[in-house]
Amino acid sequence: MVELNKDNFEVEVLKSDKPVFVDFWGEKCEMCLKLMPGVQSLREKYCDKIKFASLNIAVSRRTAITQRVLGLPTMIIYNASEKVATITPDKISSLNDIEIFIKDYYNTL
């Protein structure tokens, strides 16, 4: 997974030649830490069409704010510099919710 920060977000996400799944997380977010290994396993399953990246909001808070990330965990899929899908904490109760979110977009590619 590509580790994002304020310096590489534009190049790795907004200028990527393929869709990018971004996992916005924080070190104090228990749900984020619990889901992280599973999200990394989803990368192996869907990386042929989607690039996977993560952004620790403690390191790049302003980047998260500019992307309107208001709660954790939040996951966004970008394509051609646009947000095409977002899943927010109120919609995430398990890794299965995240896989359905990814698969719904993946199947459109």
Side-chain angles (χ1 to χ4, degrees):
M1 250 165 87
V2 176
E3 289 192 33
L4 300 171
N5 57 52
K6 66 181 173 84
D7 297 324
N8 69 356
F9 189 87
E10 183 176 348
V11 170
E12 294 290 347
V13 177
L14 302 179
K15 294 184 177 179
S16 177
D17 58 348
K18 74 193 247 187
V20 184
F21 168 90
V22 180
D23 178 7
F24 291 88
W25 66 282
E27 296 163 356
K28 295 180 182 178
C29 171
E30 289 181 27
M31 180 65 102
C32 298
L33 298 174
K34 178 181 155 190
L35 293 169
M36 194 173 292
V39 170
Q40 291 180 358
S41 72
L42 293 174
R43 177 184 65 90
E44 295 167 15
K45 202 169 182 180
Y46 299 101
C47 70
D48 61 321
K49 294 183 185 176
I50 300 174
K51 179 177 173 179
F52 280 70
S54 67
L55 185 133
N56 179 347
I57 65 148
V59 175
S60 299
R61 185 171 307 280
R62 285 191 179 164
T63 302
I65 290 169
T66 63
Q67 296 305 305
R68 294 193 165 95
V69 173
L70 303 176
L72 296 177
T74 293
M75 292 149 194
I76 302 172
I77 298 175
Y78 296 82
N79 192 10
S81 79
E82 298 292 322
K83 290 182 189 179
V84 293
T86 301
I87 189 168
T88 53
D90 58 321
K91 305 277 192 247
I92 301 171
S93 60
S94 69
L95 184 62
N96 189 54
D97 297 329
I98 299 167
E99 183 164 18
I100 290 168
F101 166 72
I102 293 169
K103 196 183 303 184
D104 284 348
Y105 184 74
Y106 182 88
N107 289 334
T108 68
L109 299 174

